[in-house]
Amino acid sequence: MAEKTIGVGDVAPDFTLPAQTGEQVTLADYRGDKVVVLYFYPKDDTRGCTAEACAFRDSYEEFAEAGAQVIGISSDSIASHEKFANKYNLPFVLVADERGEVRKRYGVPATLGILPGRVTYVIDRTGVVRHTFTSMVNIGKHIEGALEIVRNLAHEQASA
C-alpha cells in the first residue's frame, strides 16, 4: 500500500540506497549543496525508460551547470543498473530500490495497478519538493519541466 503521495511543498523523504557503483547514496547528503532531480522509472533497458534515461543524459550538463544532481531510481538490482548505465553512458546515479520501499514512501502510483509508475521530483537545497511530474508516455516533459524548475531555483539562489 502506498503511503501519502509526496507533492509540492512536502519535505522529500530521506533514503540511503546502493548505486550502480555499489556506493551508498543518501538523499540528505545533497541538502544545502545541490538541487536533486529524483526520477522514478519502471525498468532498466526498456524502451520508455531508455528514452527517459538518455534524455536526462543528453541534458545532464545543463542540470549540472544549474547546480542539480540527477538520480534515477527503480527496483532493478545494482548489477542491472550498472549494465544499463554503462550501455548508455549515463553520467548520473541510478539507485536500486529493490524492495520498492522508497517508491512506497513517495507514494509513486502504479500504472494499471501493476507497472511501477514514472514520476519526477525536483527537490530544492532545503529538501523540499518544488515540482512533480507524472506521465508514463510524455518522457520529454519530465526533463523539460525539471530543467525549468532547476534553472528557476538556481536563479533564485543567485539573486538571494
Side-chain angles (χ1 to χ4, degrees):
M1 185 78 182
E3 295 181 23
K4 168 188 173 290
T5 299
I6 299 300
V8 173
D10 292 331
V11 173
D14 194 22
F15 61 81
T16 299
L17 290 170
Q20 76 266 31
T21 59
E23 293 176 56
Q24 295 294 309
V25 173
T26 300
L27 182 63
D29 288 350
Y30 296 99
R31 280 217 182 117
D33 184 37
K34 291 196 177 286
V35 171
V36 174
V37 177
L38 180 66
Y39 81 96
F40 288 85
Y41 65 99
K43 186 137 185 65
D44 288 343
D45 220 0
T46 56
R47 198 177 64 142
C49 297
T50 298
E52 182 177 30
C54 290
F56 271 116
R57 176 200 64 204
D58 295 347
S59 298
Y60 183 74
E61 206 169 287
E62 293 174 75
F63 281 107
E65 284 171 5
Q69 174 64 50
V70 175
I71 300 173
I73 182 169
S74 80
S75 58
D76 291 303
S77 68
I78 296 166
S80 176
H81 282 339
E82 182 181 26
K83 185 178 170 189
F84 185 49
N86 288 339
K87 182 175 181 179
Y88 294 102
N89 297 314
L90 304 179
F92 50 85
V93 176
L94 298 177
V95 294
D97 182 24
E98 290 190 63
R99 293 193 295 266
E101 292 170 359
V102 175
R103 182 177 290 277
K104 284 184 191 118
R105 272 193 273 161
Y106 276 77
V108 175
T111 302
L112 305 174
I114 52 165
L115 189 64
R118 185 184 313 278
V119 181
T120 299
Y121 297 88
V122 177
I123 304 162
D124 72 14
R125 287 174 175 82
T126 67
V128 174
V129 175
R130 299 290 291 268
H131 172 78
T132 67
F133 184 74
T134 304
S135 175
M136 287 301 281
V137 294
N138 197 340
I139 307 298
K141 285 283 188 194
H142 284 270
I143 288 81
E144 293 163 19
L147 193 52
E148 181 181 342
I149 299 301
V150 166
R151 286 181 178 141
N152 289 343
L153 290 170
H155 192 72
E156 281 176 23
Q157 188 181 23
S159 56

